[in-house]
Each structure stands twice: as structure tokens, then as C-alpha cells.
């Protein structure tokens, strides 16, 4: 039930939203969309919740900038976290953004991704084999994030037995982006950036000494090779830029895809009739994954900053205004989706914004979609009667739709 009312909607403050909002933000998003669609925050920023407004913002990267130097300087100072976040593709505008995107694009081509399907399927099977011996699995901790972490490890050519620290590094670096962080958490984040960079440098040195074969799917090595030619070539990256964008790919692709898989399992458990339909009609897996992305968007809130005075949804915005983009709210906007609060695995059309829109549209969206289709397909095929063995636990996070724990019994208790 929404705790906000038509009268109180305009007073909603995202930075101090409570745990109940983190667990189920959708009723409040509906009230905001209807009564305060551009909700002014105490620091002068705005929270946007309507689909049409988000589409306009995502579609105009000149007026709505992704450059975060102004925001991150006071927060991170001159630190490894500042260096990392301001060098990664997602927090930059053209022309730097265009250069990185052009270099990454070949690795996300459909033809290349098809080659990864077999290795994803093997990875998922191995995880499920181990879980089958135990009979239960925590979907969040032992499945949903393990698949993407290993996949990105593979993409970057990180040897299997060296992938252990990746998750803690990624969590520390991404965690530093939450609105309220302690000095200790920032210190952990800074150490993680330095450790990660040092590790990647040793990895690159080993690759130089022993180059991967021409047919190896190794993004890190390919970026290094592509950038070792002409130093004046506008289409190359420095080593530091390669390191930070490799780190970013791991961060961008592991929590988000883990969230899609964990929330998807949670949805199948909450909506048994939709699950039964998917089991009867496995060809619906494609549209089912799209509906999971719409209904429980892994990145719930994005952001931009205006570069000039403008007007949006009837509200005048000064230059430099920070905008919180309520992706999860827009994805349930009744002005865009029929019966938006209904989880319908056959929904069509379903032009959700879970991967954003425009020049920053998620570069890894096809990877995430393939991973999710294989993960759900295997789980349902091998354990058609899996059932909940405990509650879905969510941490107090509002920007990412995180599942901390979701215990599942693979065969029903007899
Ligand atoms: C379900 C999983 C995922 C979701 C929901 C997701 C969501 C997003 C969103 C919303 C953005 C745009 C942010 C903005 O415009 O401010 C983005 C950007 C990005 N994502 Fe993903 N992502 C997912 C998985 C992945 C994976 C698996 C990878 C890589 C292997 C990846 C790589 C990237 C990159 C490189 C960008 C930056 C694109 C740019 O700035 O041009 N993502 N993602």
C-alpha cells in the first residue's frame, strides 16, 4: 500500500526513503507519477517517474549530460574512486563516450555472443549439478550473481581460479555510489580500485608474455592490442582508460544481471500461473525475460544533469539541475503500458526502459538477455518443481533492485 498520498507526494525524499520503500517501491512510485511526476528534492534535484519524461531525457544527451565530474569531486576528492568513476564510459559524454563505445561494440555483436551460449550453458549446468547434490540453493548468492561474474571473467580473460576477489572489488566500488557512505566504506572502495588495477596490470603483463590465441574471446587483450598502434590515432584508449572500462564492465554486468535472474525466480514463485504458462510454452522465455526486466528493473534509478535551462513536463529546470530517473516507475506507467501492475510473460509490445535508451543504452543488453534465458531455461527444465524454501530478503537499497537471499528447494519436500 502506498504510504504517500496525493497531498504528501510532493514531500517525498528519495535520500531518506525507508526500508519499506526499498522492499516495495511501486505503490509510492504510482502516487508520485500521478501527483508529483517531477518531485523536487531538498537539494534542488528532481525525481522523475513518467515514461515520456524519461524518454525525452535519455534521448537528448547534449541537454542532459552523463558527465559526473561535478558530482563526484566533492564526494570522492582526488581518489582512485574518482579516477575510476569519471573514466568509465557510462559517466561520460561524447566524444570520449563515443570512442570507448566504438571500441567495445565488436564484443557485443550478435555473432560473437552466440559463441558464448555454450559456455554459459556449461557454467549454469555445473552450478545446478552442485546444487542438486545439496537439494537446496540460495538463488541470490549461489546462482544469480555467480553466472554473470564468471561470464565477465571469461570475457575479460581472467583465469577461472583468479576470479574470487572480483565480486568483493565490484561491490566495494559500486557500493561507493550509494547516497550515504561511511569513511570506512569509501576507504574500502578506494582500496578495491587500486587492487583491481594492480591485478589487471599483472594480467596484461602475462598476456603480453603469452598472447591469447587469435580466436580467444578476450576483450581486455583485444583492447590492449587495438591501442598499441599509432599513439595519435583518435580511436585508441590509454592503458588507464582500458583498466577503468574493464573494471566498469565487471561492475555494470554482474549485479544487474544477478538482479534480473534472482528477481525473475522470485517472480516465477510469486506468480505460479505465469510460471506454469512458461513451462507449457518454453518459447515464451524471450518475452518473459523482457517482462521481468520491466516489472522488476535491476537498475531502478538512473541520473543525468541539465546543461542548459529547459522545461520538462511543465516544470522549468535551471542549468546544472540533477535528475534522478525513475526507470522502475516509468516501466509501470499506465500511459505507456496496459495494466502495468500485471506481470504478463507474453506482454507485447514491451518497450521498457530497463536498459535505458539513446546513446548510453546498455552495451551488454544482449549478454544479459542470453544469460537470463539460459539460466531460467535450465532451471525450469532440470527442476520443474522447484519451490520456495524461505523468504526473499532485500537490503535497504533503492537504486538497484537487489535480492540478498532467496532459498529454493530444487525438488519439493516429500
Ligand atoms: C540485466 C542486466 C543489465 C541491466 C538492467 C543493465 C542496465 C544498464 C543501464 C540502465 C545502462 C545505462 C545507464 C545510463 O544511461 O545512465 C547500462 C549501461 C551499460 N551497461 Fe548495462 N545492464 C545490464 C547488464 C550489463 C552487462 C552484462 C554488461 C557487460 C557485459 C553491461 C555493460 C554496460 C555498459 C558498458 C554500459 C555503458 C553504456 C554507455 O554508457 O554507452 N551491462 N546498463
Amino acid at each position: 500500500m502506498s504510504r504517500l498520498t496525493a497531498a504528501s507526494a510532493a514531500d517525498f525524499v528519495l535520500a531518506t526513503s525507508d526500508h519499506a520503500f526499498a522492499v516495495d517501491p511501486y505503490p509510492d512510485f504510482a502516487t508520485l507519477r500521478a501527483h508529483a511526476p517531477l518531485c523536487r528534492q531538498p537539494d534542488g534535484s528532481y525525481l522523475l517517474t513518467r515514461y515520456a519524461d524519461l524518454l525525452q531525457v535519455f534521448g537528448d544527451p547534449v541537454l542532459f549530460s552523463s558527465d559526473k565530474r561535478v558530482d563526484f569531486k566533492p564526494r570522492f576528492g582526488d581518489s582512485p574512486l574518482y579516477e575510476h568513476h569519471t573514466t568509465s564510459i557510462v559517466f561520460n559524454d561524447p566524444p570520449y563516450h563515443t570512442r570507448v563505445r566504438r571500441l567495445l561494440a565488436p564484443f557485443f555483436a550478435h555473432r560473437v555472443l552466440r559463441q558464448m551460449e555454450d559456455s554459459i550453458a556449461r557454467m549454469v549446468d555445473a552450478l545446478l549439478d552442485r546444487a542438486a547434490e545439496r537439494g537446496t540453493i540460495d538463488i541470490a548468492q549461489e546462482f544469480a550473481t555467480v553466472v554473470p561474474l564468471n561470464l565477465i571473467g571469461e570475457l575479460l580473460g581472467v583465469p577461472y581460479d583468479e576470479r574470487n576477489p572480483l565480486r568483493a572489488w565490484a561491490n566495494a566500488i559500486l557500493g561507493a555510489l550509494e547516497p550515504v557512505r561511511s569513511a570506512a566504506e569509501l576507504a574500502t572502495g578506494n582500496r578495491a580500485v587500486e587492487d583491481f588495477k594492480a591485478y589487471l596490470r599483472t594480467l596484461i603483463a602475462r598476456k603480453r608474455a603469452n598472447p591469447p590465441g587469435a580466436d580467444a574471446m578476450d576483450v581486455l587483450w583485444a583492447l590492449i592490442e587495438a591501442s598499441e598502434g599509432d599513439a595519435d590515432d583518435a580511436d585508441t584508449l590509454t592503458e588507464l582508460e582500458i583498466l577503468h572500462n574493464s573494471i566498469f564492465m565487471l561492475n555494470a554486468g554482474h549485479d544487474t544481471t544477478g538482479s534480473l535472474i534472482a528477481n525473475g525466480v522470485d517472480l516465477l514463485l510469486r506468480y505460479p500461473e505465469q510460471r506454469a504458462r512458461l513451462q507449457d510454452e518454453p518459447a515464451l522465455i524471450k518475452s518473459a525475460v523482457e517482462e521481468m526486466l520491466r516489472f522488476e528493473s535491476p537498475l531502478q534509478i538512473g541520473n543525468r544533469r541539465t546543461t542548459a535551462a529547459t522545461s520538462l513536463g511543465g516544470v522549468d529546470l535551471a542549468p546544472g539541475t540533477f535528475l534522478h530517473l525513475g526507470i522502475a516507475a516509468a516501466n509501470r506507467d499506465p500511459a505507456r503500458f496496459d495494466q502495468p501492475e500485471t506481470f504478463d510473460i507474453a506482454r507485447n509490445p514491451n518497450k521498457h526502459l530497463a536498459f535505458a535508451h539513446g546513446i548510453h543504452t546498455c552495451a551488454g543488453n544482449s549478454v544479459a538477455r542470453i544469460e537470463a534465458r539460459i539460466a531460467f531455461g535450465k532451471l525450469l527444465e532440470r527442476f520443474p518443481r522447484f519451490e520456495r524454501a524461505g523468504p526473499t530478503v532485500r537490503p535497504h537499497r533503492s537504486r538497484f533492485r537487489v535480492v540478498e537471499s532467496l532459498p529454493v528447494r530444487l525438488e519439493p519436500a516429500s
Side-chain angles (χ1 to χ4, degrees), residues 81 175-176 178-189:
L81 278 169
E178 287 289 311
V180 185
R181 291 284 90 173
S182 68
E185 285 165 323
L186 288 176
T188 308

Side-chain angles (χ1 to χ4, degrees), residues 89-90 97 101 248 252-253 256-257 299 304 354-355 359-360 362 364 368:
I89 176 175
V90 76
H97 168 268
R101 182 105 192 181
F248 172 71
T256 45
T257 313
L299 182 65
R304 293 290 187 270
F355 291 122
I359 66 164
H360 286 280
C362 176

Side-chain angles (χ1 to χ4, degrees), residues 23-77:
V23 170
D24 183 12
Y26 302 109
D28 285 345
F29 277 148
T31 310
L32 285 164
R33 232 177 11 238
H35 302 289
L38 276 91
C39 183
R40 193 170 196 283
Q41 302 293 291
D43 63 359
S45 62
Y46 283 83
L47 169 62
L48 277 55
T49 44
R50 280 191 308 217
Y51 187 98
D53 293 335
L54 262 70
L55 206 59
Q56 196 176 332
V57 172
F58 281 136
D60 189 343
V62 175
L63 188 52
F64 302 103
S65 165
S66 292
D67 187 326
K68 294 289 184 296
R69 280 172 298 184
V70 174
D71 307 290
F72 290 165
K73 196 73 189 188
R75 182 193 288 215
F76 298 132

Side-chain angles (χ1 to χ4, degrees), residues 221-382:
W221 178 243
L223 288 177
I224 293 285
E225 271 199 314
S227 296
E228 272 178 345
D230 180 0
D232 296 330
D233 186 345
D235 264 349
T236 62
L237 297 176
T238 64
E239 188 192 64
L240 198 64
E241 289 167 346
I242 292 174
L243 296 182
H244 284 305
N245 281 292
S246 300
I247 294 174
F248 172 71
M249 264 202 293
L250 174 79
N251 295 346
H254 114 266
D255 246 5
T256 45
T257 313
S259 163
L260 165 59
I261 296 172
N263 280 299
V265 173
D266 182 61
L267 285 167
L268 294 177
L269 291 165
R270 274 160 55 198
Y271 296 92
E273 74 298 340
Q274 294 295 310
R275 171 187 175 169
R277 183 162 181 206
L278 184 55
Q279 283 175 309
D280 288 347
E281 299 173 67
L284 285 177
I285 187 67
K286 229 171 156 172
S287 60
V289 168
E290 297 311 305
E291 181 66 344
M292 291 164 180
L293 284 160
R294 182 191 73 83
F295 205 74
E296 291 280 26
S297 305
L299 182 65
Q300 298 252 299
I301 298 173
N303 44 61
R304 293 290 187 270
R305 191 180 279 281
T306 60
T307 55
T310 187
S311 171
L312 194 64
V315 175
D316 290 335
L317 302 173
T321 304
F322 192 85
L323 305 176
H324 309 268
L325 308 178
I327 292 173
N331 280 342
R332 294 194 187 200
D333 187 341
R336 186 69 182 83
F337 299 96
D338 280 343
Q339 306 203 355
E341 304 294 340
T342 302
F343 176 62
D344 171 9
I345 62 161
R347 182 180 293 274
N348 184 20
N350 191 355
K351 282 191 118 21
H352 60 75
L353 297 174
F355 291 122
H357 165 79
I359 66 164
H360 286 280
T361 298
C362 176
N365 72 80
S366 308
V367 183
R369 285 173 159 129
I370 292 173
E371 283 182 83
R373 284 176 208 153
I374 294 175
F376 295 122
K378 290 270 179 201
L379 184 66
L380 286 166
E381 181 192 304
R382 292 187 53 179

